[in-house]
Amino acid sequence: MSAHWDVVWNNMDYLLWGPFPNGPLGGLALSIVMAVTGIFGAFWLGLLVGLMRLSKRKVFMIPALIYIEIIRGTPLLMVIFWFYFLAPVLLGKSLPGEESAMIALVVFTSAYVAEIVRAGVLSLPKGQMEAARGTGLSKTQAMVSVVLPQALFNMIPSFVNQFVSLTKDTSLGFIIGVGELTKVATQINNRTMNAPGEIFITIACMYFVICFVLTSFSRRLETKINRYQARGR
């Protein structure tokens, strides 16, 4: 049986950005937009939840703990279904698939970011907080101005790794009809019906290239951070 790589080549623009500019953005471009938007939103929400988790006040710590444990104990696909199928009940109107998937990605990833933040802060010597408090700073000021910047610097490789996972997770948007890379590949396959292997090998390579570049970037960052910390000792 002969290969049909011409099908992939003839539909490469559709794989890369979907029907855009004659329609909504899709394909690989939409997957990247979802991943970037998702990690940006998850960072700020996860940072807030992580700091709440570190608080000694139960009014902050307990809700954050419940949030983290529930979300981390739930499959991402189920979280996507929550926002897609429950939104009409709770809000009185349905959310587009792209918005539902985006919100689900932010909420799901933020729980893992919160744990990264907590681990990053706890990994610093306790003397950092004590020294900052000794200069007259309040506990909040010491956390924001002294402890958190150092912790975030050490968390960079973990954030990049989480970005890699989020990039792959965008493919689950296919389940609710989001026109990301997996969805447009399936549409091409359903239309042509003669090159499923070539099409899905191509999108697998696309995911691999993106994740490999991000992983390599994370390793370089980790090496530079370790060298920087070694010089500072």
Side-chain angles (χ1 to χ4, degrees):
M1 182 179 295
S2 60
H4 297 280
W5 291 105
D6 58 306
V7 173
V8 173
W9 179 253
N10 293 335
N11 291 278
M12 184 58 69
D13 58 337
Y14 196 70
L15 287 172
L16 292 175
W17 49 76
F20 185 84
N22 298 319
L25 186 68
L28 181 62
L30 180 59
S31 295
I32 294 174
V33 169
M34 291 175 63
V36 172
T37 305
I39 199 64
F40 181 80
F43 170 78
W44 294 108
L45 179 58
L47 179 61
L48 174 62
V49 175
L51 293 177
M52 290 173 61
R53 178 70 176 84
L54 288 166
S55 176
K56 293 183 179 180
R57 298 181 181 180
K58 291 185 178 180
V59 68
F60 295 123
M61 186 269 289
I62 292 178
L65 178 61
I66 293 173
Y67 176 86
I68 291 170
E69 293 302 321
I70 289 178
I71 298 301
R72 293 185 71 194
T74 305
L76 174 56
L77 184 58
M78 186 61 65
V79 178
I80 292 174
F81 284 159
W82 285 351
F83 289 99
Y84 188 66
F85 292 110
L86 290 182
V89 177
L90 299 177
L91 303 178
K93 63 177 183 178
S94 60
L95 288 177
E98 290 81 2
E99 291 183 17
S100 300
M102 196 77 70
I103 295 172
L105 288 171
V106 169
V107 170
F108 184 80
T109 306
S110 66
Y112 290 86
V113 170
E115 285 297 278
I116 293 173
V117 170
R118 185 174 74 92
V121 171
L122 293 178
S123 67
L124 293 178
K126 293 183 179 180
Q128 295 287 337
M129 176 62 78
E130 296 171 359
R133 293 295 302 278
T135 63
L137 296 176
S138 66
K139 188 173 183 179
T140 300
Q141 290 173 328
M143 174 63 75
V144 173
S145 302
V146 179
V147 175
L148 196 56
Q150 296 181 68
L152 288 174
F153 181 73
N154 296 333
M155 295 175 209
I156 291 175
S158 298
F159 286 140
V160 177
N161 289 332
Q162 194 61 49
F163 186 34
V164 172
S165 297
L166 181 58
T167 301
K168 294 183 291 185
D169 289 340
T170 58
S171 62
L172 290 177
F174 162 76
I175 302 296
I176 57 174
V178 178
E180 44 70 55
L181 182 57
T182 304
K183 175 68 174 181
V184 300
T186 303
Q187 290 174 337
I188 294 170
N189 180 58
N190 291 340
R191 186 171 67 247
T192 58
M193 297 298 291
N194 64 346
E198 293 84 346
I199 292 170
F200 288 104
I201 287 174
T202 299
I203 69 167
C205 291
M206 288 180 173
Y207 280 121
F208 172 78
V209 169
I210 293 174
C211 294
F212 179 78
V213 170
L214 290 172
T215 303
S216 300
F217 178 66
S218 174
R219 289 172 181 168
R220 289 188 177 184
L221 274 178
E222 191 168 2
T223 301
K224 289 182 178 180
I225 289 172
N226 291 336
R227 289 176 180 173
Y228 177 82
Q229 291 175 334
R231 286 198 301 266
R233 291 173 183 173

